[in-house]
Amino acid sequence: ELLYLLKKYQEAYTEYMTVVDMDPNGQHSRFCAESAIFAAEEMVKKEGGGDSQMRKEKIAKDTPPQPLTDWEQNLIASAKQYATLYPSDKKVEQAIYKTAFLLYSRFHFTEAAEQFRAVISMSPKSKNAEFSANLILDALKIREEYVALRDTAKAFYQQEELGSSAFKKDMHTIWSSAAFTVIEKDFEANQDHVKTANAYLAFYDQFPEFDKVDFALNNAAAYYYKANRVADAMKVRHILVDGERFGPKTKFYYRQVGALGYDYERLANLEEAVRFYDMLVELYPKERKAVVDDKDLDDEAEAEKLAALDSQAADALYTSAVFTNALGDWEASIAKYGAFIDMFGEDERVLDTRLRIARLYEDHEDWGNAADAFEAFYTKTHKDADPAYTFFARLHHARALRAKGDTSAANKVFQSGVDAYQKAKKGGLEDGAHTEFVAEMMYRLAEPAFEDYLELRITGAGPGARQRAEDKAMKASLEAKTKALKQVEASFVSILETGAGEWGLAAVVALGRVYENFAETLTSSPIPSYLTTDQADIYRMTLEDRAYVQNEKAVEAYKLALDKSYELRLYNDHTAFATRRLGELRPDDFPGLAEEIPSAGFVSEKVRTFAPETSLR
């Protein structure tokens, strides 16, 4: 005691321990055992250590235990001796807690945990017990032993006598947080999407009030989706979107609404896909504002988030418009397409969308709105677009005008389209999809003259007319027919010169009809009444010779039409017409098409015709 009062703690420690060694049950032994702890503690303080100071370096899970000084070891030994000899003493708990904390501060976590658990078992209701439990968990967290952390926190939570209500709340939080982390770590190790999704869903069932439970549900939905368990993913998404606790309150609401729209799209449930896509579009302005108002985002991060939001909302609105039309509500679809143009005017799909709107009017025979929409496309909104688009719009503008009965206005549009094409060709415009549209416009412009030409006949002056009058009348009608032929021929040849496919084919067939009609007009024309029988025969043979030339030209045109049809792999009414006419004009070269129904032992006519007359064995 004298040595201790003189602050000679090292010598005092030795004497105190000697007293206890002499007789643990002696009159002064308990006092000396406790005093040895105090003396050792003073020596630790002199060394600059003690349980109040943690080492300064950063602690990691692989940080090794730091070596204990001799006096730190003496302090631990004296405390252990005191607890062993006098376990029922009230001061034992504090002594063990001190040495446990010393071990903890030197990263001897395993030994510290053993002593902390001893403190808890001695006095579970004490503050030291709560501190001990928290330090045990803290050590497990430092060492990233999340399974042990989860299970230990759960055990402390369920230990009835341990801790206050606030302590219990903390233990439940640590338990649930560790359980969440265990799921994450398990996935890093096994990459099993289904197992991980099931674990997150089970976590939600076990910890429904966990502050991050929406994270768990979001992750469960994502992992189910990656495992192609779409139905399971959708069930979880509906919990987040429709659940009373979540809905708009969760940060994942917007994302899950969009995901549900896509899920229903994959399942071809267009009604539900539209419902969720429309919800997302309705939420979009608020979601965008939240990003703009977020002060934690730098300019680059904000721009990236806004771009992602804009893209998702644009896709949702566009897809909703497509599906709404597919569901039969074309007028609502047009309204959505209009909203898409208004909201996302810089989107590359806007050009196509304007044409979609016009086509919808066209498909539903709303010719007035169709004509206005197509006209606006090439005169206002997209007049500098690719020619394939502008000439398409011109063509369909004229079609709509014709359909509503305004043929004159339609022909003006056709002509202006052809004029624009010819001007562009002089400026270097190359052939493309627009060529076909222009060719149709040229064909439509040629049709009236073509129909008039077909009706022209060679006529005389009538019964009883004089030879001069008869000759004059027949000459005038022949010249009118010939002149019309040249004009119509030139129109269809100009279509051919564009290089168009389908309408080039139509023009070739029309030329065949032009020539064939001229031949028929010649052979069916009246014989001048003033001719004798022999003269009439000669006259008729002359007409037939001239008609033959025209029929030959018609045959060549029809053959060219078939060649073009094969080249384009196109079979339409024009192809069928050319085939029929060739079958009639040149039956030997172009036999009519006939269907042969095969039966047992069937051999085609051609094989039978050319098969050698020998039996096959």
Side-chain angles (χ1 to χ4, degrees):
E1 277 289 277
L2 179 60
L3 290 169
Y4 188 90
L5 290 172
L6 293 173
K7 298 185 179 182
K8 295 184 178 183
Y9 301 118
Q10 180 176 350
E11 295 88 341
Y13 174 84
T14 301
E15 298 301 328
Y16 284 139
M17 294 296 281
T18 300
V19 172
V20 177
D21 287 341
M22 290 171 63
D23 181 6
N25 296 315
Q27 180 180 357
H28 301 289
S29 294
R30 180 179 298 211
F31 172 81
C32 288
E34 181 183 5
S35 297
I37 296 172
F38 296 146
E41 195 171 16
E42 291 296 334
M43 289 302 298
V44 168
K45 290 178 182 178
K46 277 190 175 184
E47 291 178 338
D51 59 6
S52 62
Q53 296 186 19
M54 296 284 282
R55 296 298 189 231
K56 292 183 179 180
E57 64 261 32
K58 186 177 180 180
I59 306 174
K61 71 173 185 176
D62 53 355
T63 301
Q66 295 182 342
L68 299 169
T69 66
D70 289 343
W71 278 106
E72 286 174 339
Q73 293 180 50
N74 288 338
L75 175 58
I76 292 170
S78 59
K80 184 176 181 180
Q81 172 184 262
Y82 186 74
T84 301
L85 295 176
Y86 315 109
S88 59
D89 194 293
K90 292 181 180 181
K91 298 176 182 177
V92 168
E93 175 198 331
Q94 185 63 26
I96 297 301
Y97 180 80
K98 279 188 176 183
T99 57
F101 192 84
L102 174 61
L103 289 166
Y104 171 82
S105 67
R106 300 296 180 269
F107 316 145
H108 292 256
F109 294 133
T110 301
E111 297 90 331
E114 292 176 0
Q115 296 203 29
F116 282 136
R117 288 185 181 278
V119 171
I120 294 171
S121 63
M122 289 178 194
S123 181
K125 294 184 179 181
S126 67
K127 283 294 181 183
N128 280 343
E130 287 190 11
F131 294 149
S132 296
N134 278 308
L135 291 173
I136 289 172
L137 297 176
D138 189 57
L140 292 173
K141 184 176 181 181
I142 290 171
R143 292 166 65 173
E144 298 182 11
E145 296 179 9
Y146 295 108
V147 174
L149 178 63
R150 176 197 65 192
D151 296 342
T152 304
K154 176 183 178 182
F156 289 157
Y157 175 77
Q158 293 177 338
Q159 188 172 339
E160 293 184 4
E161 295 183 351
L162 177 60
S164 62
S165 59
F167 171 82
K168 293 294 187 186
K169 184 177 180 180
D170 290 342
M171 290 302 101
H172 193 275
T173 299
I174 296 171
W175 172 20
S176 55
S177 296
F180 189 90
T181 304
V182 167
I183 298 172
E184 294 176 330
K185 296 298 180 182
D186 280 349
F187 178 73
E188 291 176 7
N190 57 50
Q191 297 293 305
D192 188 328
H193 293 96
V194 174
K195 178 182 176 183
T196 305
N198 290 337
Y200 277 124
L201 195 57
F203 179 91
Y204 163 70
D205 291 334
Q206 186 174 20
F207 303 105
E209 300 303 318
F210 180 60
D211 61 349
K212 289 169 59 176
V213 73
D214 54 345
F215 281 81
L217 290 171
N218 180 73
N219 291 352
Y223 286 124
Y224 276 135
Y225 189 82
K226 287 183 178 180
N228 206 28
R229 297 266 290 265
V230 178
D232 291 326
M234 292 175 70
K235 288 179 182 177
V236 178
R237 297 193 203 284
H238 273 293
I239 295 173
L240 280 167
V241 172
D242 302 329
E244 291 184 6
R245 180 182 170 189
F246 305 110
K249 291 180 285 186
T250 174
K251 64 183 291 186
F252 301 106
Y253 182 67
Y254 183 81
R255 182 188 308 172
Q256 295 301 335
V257 166
L260 278 170
Y262 184 67
D263 289 340
Y264 280 113
E265 178 182 345
R266 286 187 65 190
L267 297 175
N269 187 336
L270 303 190
E271 292 90 344
E272 285 299 289
V274 166
R275 181 166 77 89
F276 282 101
Y277 282 146
D278 287 351
M279 284 176 61
L280 183 136
V281 173
E282 185 178 348
L283 295 167
Y284 162 71
K286 183 178 180 181
E287 194 75 12
R288 200 177 196 282
K289 184 177 184 300
V291 173
V292 173
D293 293 344
D294 190 346
K295 304 301 182 184
D296 295 331
L297 295 175
D298 58 28
D299 291 343
E300 183 177 351
E302 179 182 300
E304 186 176 338
K305 275 200 165 189
L306 289 177
L309 278 176
D310 294 345
S311 176
Q312 186 181 18
D315 289 346
L317 182 52
Y318 187 85
T319 306
S320 177
V322 173
F323 290 171
T324 298
N325 180 50
L327 291 168
D329 195 349
W330 65 275
E331 292 175 309
S333 175
I334 286 177
K336 289 180 179 181
Y337 279 131
F340 174 81
I341 293 170
D342 292 340
M343 294 173 67
F344 306 103
E346 299 302 316
D347 192 287
E348 62 182 8
R349 291 167 290 188
V350 165
L351 181 147
D352 175 72
T353 300
R354 292 190 188 278
L355 283 181
R356 278 177 175 262
I357 292 172
R359 290 299 300 273
L360 280 172
Y361 284 127
E362 182 181 59
D363 291 343
H364 293 86
E365 300 183 0
D366 186 344
W367 303 117
N369 280 322
D372 291 344
F374 282 122
E375 182 181 20
F377 182 90
Y378 72 87
T379 61
K380 297 177 182 177
T381 57
H382 295 286
K383 58 184 179 181
D384 296 324
D386 185 279
Y389 290 97
T390 56
F391 283 105
F392 176 89
R394 287 176 181 273
L395 171 63
H396 284 262
H397 176 208
R399 282 185 182 182
L401 291 172
R402 288 183 69 177
K404 65 183 288 193
D406 198 345
T407 305
S408 175
N411 288 337
K412 288 180 181 179
V413 174
F414 282 140
Q415 189 60 58
S416 68
V418 173
D419 293 343
Y421 168 76
Q422 292 172 343
K423 180 179 179 181
K425 284 290 286 185
K426 290 179 181 178
L429 176 66
E430 297 181 356
D431 292 338
H434 57 276
T435 306
E436 199 67 41
F437 306 141
V438 173
E440 182 179 349
M441 288 189 259
M442 296 171 71
Y443 190 92
R444 297 306 180 199
L445 287 170
E447 277 183 320
F450 175 55
E451 296 298 332
D452 291 343
Y453 163 81
L454 295 178
E455 296 298 321
L456 291 175
R457 314 306 296 176
I458 298 174
T459 59
R466 294 181 179 181
Q467 179 178 347
R468 185 175 180 182
E470 182 83 348
D471 290 345
K472 183 178 180 181
M474 294 188 70
K475 180 182 179 183
S477 58
L478 177 60
E479 287 179 347
K481 185 74 174 181
T482 304
K483 181 180 179 182
L485 182 147
K486 292 180 179 178
Q487 291 176 342
V488 173
E489 184 181 45
S491 297
F492 288 124
V493 168
S494 66
I495 296 172
L496 278 174
E497 290 173 346
T498 66
E502 180 179 356
W503 290 98
L505 171 61
V508 174
V509 173
L511 281 172
R513 292 181 63 190
V514 167
Y515 301 135
E516 197 176 356
N517 175 265
F518 195 85
E520 187 274 332
T521 300
L522 288 173
T523 57
S524 64
S525 63
I527 304 296
S529 59
Y530 58 81
L531 295 178
T532 65
T533 301
D534 291 340
Q535 289 175 331
D537 290 340
I538 295 171
Y539 181 84
R540 185 175 293 106
M541 285 188 291
T542 302
L543 290 178
E544 288 175 353
D545 288 342
R546 298 181 69 178
Y548 178 80
V549 174
Q550 296 299 320
N551 280 328
E552 282 298 297
K553 292 174 70 175
V555 167
E556 291 304 312
Y558 291 142
K559 287 169 65 176
L560 179 59
L562 290 187
D563 291 342
K564 198 167 188 66
S565 176
Y566 297 145
E567 175 191 340
L568 298 173
R569 296 183 180 181
L570 176 67
Y571 186 87
N572 57 19
D573 291 343
H574 299 298
T575 313
F577 183 86
T579 303
R580 287 196 302 271
R581 296 310 302 146
L582 285 171
E584 293 183 23
L585 295 169
R586 295 290 183 271
D588 292 337
D589 297 331
F590 298 92
L593 300 178
E595 183 180 24
E596 293 185 77
I597 307 300
S599 59
F602 170 79
V603 181
S604 76
E605 184 64 34
K606 288 185 178 180
V607 174
R608 290 198 296 273
T609 301
F610 298 104
E613 295 180 0
T614 56
S615 60
L616 299 177
R617 296 179 180 240

